[in-house]
Amino acid sequence: MRYKILLSLFFSVVQIFLGLSQLQKHVLIFRPTFGNSEIHLNDAYYRIGTNDSIQLETVKLYVSNIEFLYKDSVVWKEKKSFHLLDVSDANSLTISLDIPVAIKYSYVAFNIGIDSTTNVSGALGGDLDPTKGMYWTWQSGYINVKIEGKSNICQTRNNEFQFHLGGYQNQDNALNKLFLRISGKNRISYIQIDVEKWLKSVDLSKQNHIMSPGQDAVLLSGKLIEMFTVTK
Amino acid sequence: MKRKKYILLSCMLFLCFSAFITIKTPLFRKPPNWPEPAYDFSKNPLSERKIQLGRILFYDPILSRNNTISCSSCHLQYTAFTHVDHALSHGIEDRIGTRNSPALVNLAWHKSFMWDGSINHLDMQALAPMSNPSEMDESIDKIVHKLQGTTLYPKLFYEAFDDSIITGEYVLKSIAQFMLTIVSANSKYDSVMRNQATFTLQENNGYILFKKHCAVCHTEPLFTNLQFENNGLEVDSTLKDYGRMLITNRSEDSITFKVPTLRNIEFSYPYMHDGRFKKLNDVLKHYTTGIHASKTLSKYLKDPIVLSSNDKVDLVTFLLTLTDKHFLFDPQYSYPRSVFYPDSKK
């Protein structure tokens, strides 16, 4: 009898061990949209109000420090977790994660942007390489999010608007953390990024460019969270 | 017994050999009695090949949009790695910037870079002049593309990084490595501090005056406290340069600039962030009778500095002991002629 208990205990330990070492993919697929329409850069025109028309040229943003949570505690963290999502590059919109089979989770969390430690860590590679065009050259720091385009309501040269949102120091810290409820069973999550929701919080006739860290960048970065929803 | 001897002997040989290796390759040496460097070498470990690659990039105008301007255009070794004779440095197509180029020296000890501290890490420093429209006017991705298309660089990057696909990270890290090795610590002043030489009476008097009036900002051994100060210069009405405030948006940073080093000051003229003073005498005149009081004036300059004309001569005599001839002519920092002109004779 005792022998049997020991044996079953042994097997369950082995099972847990296998579950922790065995990996399974969980894929995050980001779908950038304007309202419910797909985004076509430099091509399609979108409308928020009745008298405007908006064309998008650049939508790039960093997703970093991806974590999975279960009952309010972090159960898994991606190492070196920095991903540049670029609407012009479809491959960049899929993030494939290797997660131990045994781990249960119900939330995914990540930063929109780059944390302050990484911002002061010197030259980095991969998606953080400064050749990706997401680093300020005249003042050190990553650009968390770039949204650029044209709108007839912008009284600017070529009706352009340019938002380079970033900043990591003290009161200028523009980093935001986001929690999204996901199903651990599906192993694939579709996350919509609705740029319209963010653009609605900007009055393009008055505010059409942010190119440096500061209070405006912090304020508008706080609204980025609203763009993200998990869809089926 | 004999065997024991052998073991002992081979151990000693091994120790000697390993000591020899560590002595032979000091790619970066902290001068004695200097503070620990601020740069985290563990994230970018020095190697001879990376340093040499950085040196070649430093001297190569390929970094600029039209291949005419290199880092060394404004940072010349013989003039303490700065741009002499020009109050404001000029870059591509003779475009003139708004500041005097800083001297590149002892950068491993700095935590921020540029007159306004806009750059937070030595690795990222080179990005600023590369993309500034009046300096090199080129973007890092185009630079990487140009380098990749040469016959020289993919090989050099492969040798340095085990990777012939060039990245922005590699470019910046190798330039940083070269800049880290630019250390000046062999002036007469340094010899005196190491008890290998003595000051003349005049130099010594100058040193006493220096410690009394200047050292609080120009702190030894770097001759800068690495802080930002308003040193009483009136804002130039054509440049309207408010220094660090333009970066931090804080009013208390108005008209503050990073305290520059005084090492090799004999060769780094003209002086101040906008190069407004050509001679050291002009600088001393400013600090004694020219201070322009404003809200953010350095607390160290609130009381007037009084120097007799003899004092001024002595102080300048001391400042000249900060000249490091060995540094200014050290071939390890010089133009890598054999790389750019492999067929030419030395």
Side-chain angles (χ1 to χ4, degrees):
Chain A
M1 188 63 195
R2 242 175 109 187
Y3 176 74
K4 260 192 177 171
I5 292 174
L6 270 176
L7 201 72
S8 68
L9 202 71
F10 171 75
F11 275 114
S12 52
V13 166
V14 166
Q15 222 171 0
I16 289 168
F17 184 73
L18 275 177
L20 284 173
S21 60
Q22 241 176 3
L23 299 172
Q24 196 168 342
K25 292 251 181 272
H26 189 115
V27 184
L28 304 177
I29 298 176
F30 291 88
R31 289 178 44 227
T33 67
F34 196 99
N36 282 322
S37 350
E38 212 177 303
I39 290 181
H40 297 281
L41 295 177
N42 303 314
D43 188 14
Y45 290 89
Y46 307 96
R47 194 169 286 254
I48 297 179
T50 44
N51 293 322
D52 56 14
S53 97
I54 289 169
Q55 199 180 19
L56 291 169
E57 285 173 0
T58 311
V59 179
K60 285 162 91 174
L61 58 97
Y62 276 113
V63 160
S64 70
N65 293 13
I66 299 176
E67 296 170 348
F68 280 15
L69 295 92
Y70 188 69
K71 291 181 178 165
D72 292 341
S73 55
V74 177
V75 289
W76 182 82
K77 268 183 184 183
E78 191 190 21
K79 281 174 194 157
K80 291 188 180 171
S81 182
F82 303 101
H83 304 272
L84 178 59
L85 307 188
D86 180 351
V87 172
S88 72
D89 173 13
N91 289 332
S92 74
L93 301 174
T94 299
I95 300 175
S96 186
L97 306 164
D98 291 314
I99 298 174
V101 173
I103 284 179
K104 273 188 181 174
Y105 50 89
S106 51
Y107 279 90
V108 63
F110 52 81
N111 292 330
I112 308 168
I114 301 300
D115 63 275
S116 59
T117 311
T118 308
N119 263 292
V120 297
S121 296
L124 300 162
D127 277 2
L128 294 174
D129 195 291
T131 52
K132 301 283 177 188
M134 295 294 277
Y135 197 89
W136 274 303
T137 56
W138 56 278
Q139 173 180 20
S140 296
Y142 281 95
I143 299 167
N144 292 335
V145 177
K146 255 189 189 180
I147 297 176
E148 299 173 340
K150 289 176 183 174
S151 172
N152 61 326
I153 50 173
C154 292
Q155 302 297 312
T156 53
R157 190 175 161 267
N158 300 329
N159 301 118
E160 286 169 344
F161 60 85
Q162 271 186 320
F163 294 96
H164 295 181
L165 305 177
Y168 66 93
Q169 289 188 93
N170 312 321
Q171 76 276 13
D172 291 342
N173 193 337
L175 191 71
N176 285 283
K177 190 170 182 174
L178 178 68
F179 295 84
L180 292 171
R181 193 172 173 82
I182 53 166
S183 156
K185 283 177 194 163
N186 284 351
R187 299 283 170 187
I188 183 157
S189 306
Y190 293 94
I191 301 170
Q192 184 181 359
I193 307 174
D194 183 355
V195 180
E196 184 187 16
K197 282 187 183 158
W198 181 79
L199 274 171
K200 272 182 173 169
S201 59
V202 189
D203 183 353
L204 284 178
S205 64
K206 291 187 182 120
Q207 189 171 33
N208 36 50
H209 68 276
I210 293 180
M211 310 292 281
S212 58
Q215 280 316 291
D216 289 344
V218 171
L219 216 68
L220 285 182
S221 296
K223 314 257 185 198
L224 291 165
I225 289 176
E226 293 164 20
M227 301 195 297
F228 292 79
T229 37
V230 176
T231 58
K232 279 183 183 171
Chain B
M1 194 61 198
K2 226 179 179 181
R3 214 170 141 187
K4 255 190 187 167
K5 255 188 185 170
Y6 270 120
I7 292 170
L8 200 72
L9 199 75
S10 55
C11 276
M12 277 173 72
L13 265 173
F14 176 74
L15 275 175
C16 286
F17 186 65
S18 53
F20 178 71
I21 287 177
T22 46
I23 289 164
K24 209 195 159 201
T25 55
L27 295 170
F28 178 87
R29 211 181 318 183
K30 180 172 87 70
N33 304 324
W34 279 38
E36 285 302 318
Y39 192 85
D40 183 355
F41 287 89
S42 72
K43 296 223 173 90
N44 185 17
L46 296 186
S47 82
E48 185 58 41
R49 282 178 169 163
K50 288 176 190 168
I51 294 168
Q52 284 311 315
L53 172 56
R55 176 180 166 209
I56 294 162
L57 288 167
F58 185 88
Y59 282 98
D60 197 335
I62 196 170
L63 301 188
S64 63
R65 171 173 48 79
N66 61 4
N67 305 330
T68 58
I69 303 287
S70 73
C71 304
S72 70
S73 303
C74 289
H75 300 282
L76 292 91
Q77 178 184 6
Y78 303 146
T79 58
F81 283 103
T82 181
H83 203 179
V84 292
D85 269 349
H86 296 273
L88 304 173
S89 301
H90 58 80
I92 199 164
E93 289 153 359
D94 284 344
R95 291 180 201 167
I96 293 172
T98 60
R99 289 177 185 157
N100 183 261
S101 68
L104 304 182
V105 63
N106 302 335
L107 296 174
W109 285 267
H110 290 235
K111 291 184 194 110
S112 66
F113 303 86
M114 302 299 197
W115 283 106
D116 54 14
S118 53
I119 307 299
N120 69 19
H121 196 289
L122 184 59
D123 292 359
M124 308 322 264
Q125 194 280 330
L127 272 180
M130 282 171 179
S131 51
N132 188 313
S134 33
E135 297 182 52
M136 291 166 152
D137 198 24
E138 187 64 295
S139 67
I140 182 76
D141 52 318
K142 285 191 189 141
I143 289 169
V144 167
H145 185 74
K146 281 200 282 184
L147 294 174
Q148 195 75 61
T150 60
T151 47
L152 174 67
Y153 282 105
K155 183 171 163 278
L156 293 177
F157 275 88
Y158 179 74
E159 286 167 357
F161 291 95
D162 274 338
D163 194 349
S164 57
I165 305 296
I166 301 168
T167 69
E169 181 192 11
Y170 296 159
V171 170
L172 295 175
K173 280 191 164 161
S174 43
I175 294 176
Q177 291 217 355
F178 175 60
M179 289 198 284
L180 286 166
T181 64
I182 302 177
V183 174
S184 173
N186 282 312
S187 62
K188 179 173 183 187
Y189 158 83
D190 296 295
S191 302
V192 173
M193 292 301 124
R194 290 180 211 132
N195 297 318
Q196 293 159 344
T198 46
F199 281 139
T200 65
L201 213 63
Q202 214 179 2
E203 287 165 353
N204 198 51
N205 187 40
Y207 183 43
I208 292 165
L209 290 164
F210 167 81
K211 285 201 281 193
K212 187 175 171 200
H213 297 296
C214 323
V216 63
C217 290
H218 296 287
T219 315
E220 300 162 72
L222 298 169
F223 288 87
T224 163
N225 60 359
L226 309 174
Q227 301 299 309
F228 299 86
E229 301 283 353
N230 172 346
N231 67 340
L233 295 171
E234 202 165 0
V235 173
D236 183 310
S237 60
T238 60
L239 296 171
K240 295 193 176 60
D241 189 346
Y242 291 87
R244 185 151 174 78
M245 188 180 78
L246 302 177
I247 296 299
T248 63
N249 295 321
R250 288 188 306 218
S251 57
E252 64 263 37
D253 293 330
S254 176
I255 338 178
T256 67
F257 293 88
K258 193 168 172 197
V259 175
T261 182
L262 304 184
R263 284 185 174 274
N264 303 299
I265 194 167
E266 181 183 0
F267 289 94
S268 63
Y269 59 91
Y271 307 110
M272 306 297 153
H273 65 276
D274 53 9
R276 69 176 71 180
F277 300 134
K278 286 194 176 71
K279 295 198 155 57
L280 284 173
N281 280 333
D282 301 335
V283 174
L284 294 187
K285 205 169 137 194
H286 165 73
Y287 281 118
T288 48
T289 57
I291 295 292
H292 174 77
S294 60
K295 267 187 185 173
T296 55
L297 179 68
S298 171
K299 63 182 177 206
Y300 305 119
L301 292 172
K302 295 229 160 110
D303 296 325
I305 294 174
V306 182
L307 294 172
S308 70
S309 52
N310 277 346
D311 287 345
K312 285 182 188 169
V313 174
D314 292 354
L315 194 49
V316 169
T317 316
F318 165 71
L319 292 175
L320 299 185
T321 71
L322 299 176
T323 295
D324 180 351
K325 285 266 165 64
H326 175 77
F327 166 79
L328 296 171
F329 299 101
D330 191 338
Q332 70 163 311
Y333 306 135
S334 66
Y335 181 74
R337 181 172 299 279
S338 62
V339 176
F340 292 124
Y341 299 101
D343 301 329
S344 72
K345 281 179 189 161
K346 270 192 180 174

